[in-house]
Amino acid sequence: MENNESILSNSSLDDMAVVQLEGTAKWAYFISVVFFILSGFALLLSLLLFANIETILPRLSQVFAISQEVEDFILNSGMILAIFGILLGTTLLFLNGFFLLKFRNHARAYTMDQQENHLNAGFENLNRYLILSTAVNGISIISTFVGIIILFFTA
């Protein structure tokens, strides 16, 4: 990290790069707001689902032919697992929005006062966003492949 900071501290951005940074900051703001809205929406829908699970589950059981054992699991242990998964997913979505918003704020501050510390802090937050997004996407890809393999070998 120190090597990157020394590279940035020895240079300044030209006018075209500052314009690109401003455009990137606007997109980062838009995407962060979308992430915040989606995380709130997911949390709200989850609360509504869990509050009405005893009404919804019998209807889903009829549509998807869910056995009574699976239905009992969902109502007992499955609820804890689902709550953990939803809270984890919502937290990751919120953190992605938070890191993008911090990047946007530091990028805007840099475009106004040209202080390198704002640029460094902005790129640190962008780096955190990219690492978190890559980890989430990797987990998603692995779980998709595992699901496909299970589907083919259990069918």
Side-chain angles (χ1 to χ4, degrees):
M1 188 71 68
E2 291 178 19
N3 190 18
N4 292 341
E5 289 178 9
S6 65
I7 291 171
L8 286 174
S9 64
N10 293 333
S11 64
S12 61
L13 300 179
D14 62 3
D15 292 337
M16 188 60 169
V18 171
V19 169
Q20 292 296 325
L21 186 62
E22 288 174 345
T24 304
K26 289 176 185 175
W27 277 106
Y29 180 69
F30 172 74
I31 294 169
S32 69
V33 168
V34 169
F35 281 169
F36 289 142
I37 291 170
L38 288 177
S39 64
F41 190 63
L43 197 59
L44 179 66
L45 281 178
S46 301
L47 290 173
L48 290 174
L49 175 70
F50 290 131
N52 298 310
I53 191 69
E54 291 168 351
T55 306
I56 296 170
L57 192 58
R59 293 180 184 167
L60 288 177
S61 297
Q62 292 173 350
V63 172
F64 295 110
I66 297 175
S67 67
Q68 186 62 39
E69 293 84 21
V70 173
E71 195 172 327
D72 292 338
F73 172 77
I74 291 172
L75 288 173
N76 297 322
S77 303
M79 290 290 284
I80 295 169
L81 184 62
I83 289 171
F84 174 75
I86 288 170
L87 287 177
L88 180 66
T90 304
T91 302
L92 291 174
L93 191 60
F94 182 84
L95 282 175
N96 271 337
F98 175 75
F99 290 138
L100 277 179
L101 186 62
K102 297 269 295 181
F103 165 73
R104 178 257 190 181
N105 291 340
H106 286 293
R108 284 189 66 211
Y110 175 79
T111 59
M112 292 182 179
D113 61 17
Q114 302 292 315
Q115 291 184 5
E116 298 291 330
N117 62 337
H118 290 300
L119 190 61
N120 291 337
F123 282 129
E124 285 177 13
N125 284 296
L126 186 61
N127 183 40
R128 290 179 185 133
Y129 162 75
L130 292 172
I131 289 171
L132 185 61
S133 293
T134 303
V136 168
N137 287 331
I139 292 169
S140 176
I141 289 170
I142 290 169
S143 65
T144 300
F145 284 141
V146 168
I148 289 171
I149 290 170
I150 290 172
L151 180 67
F152 282 128
F153 287 115
T154 60

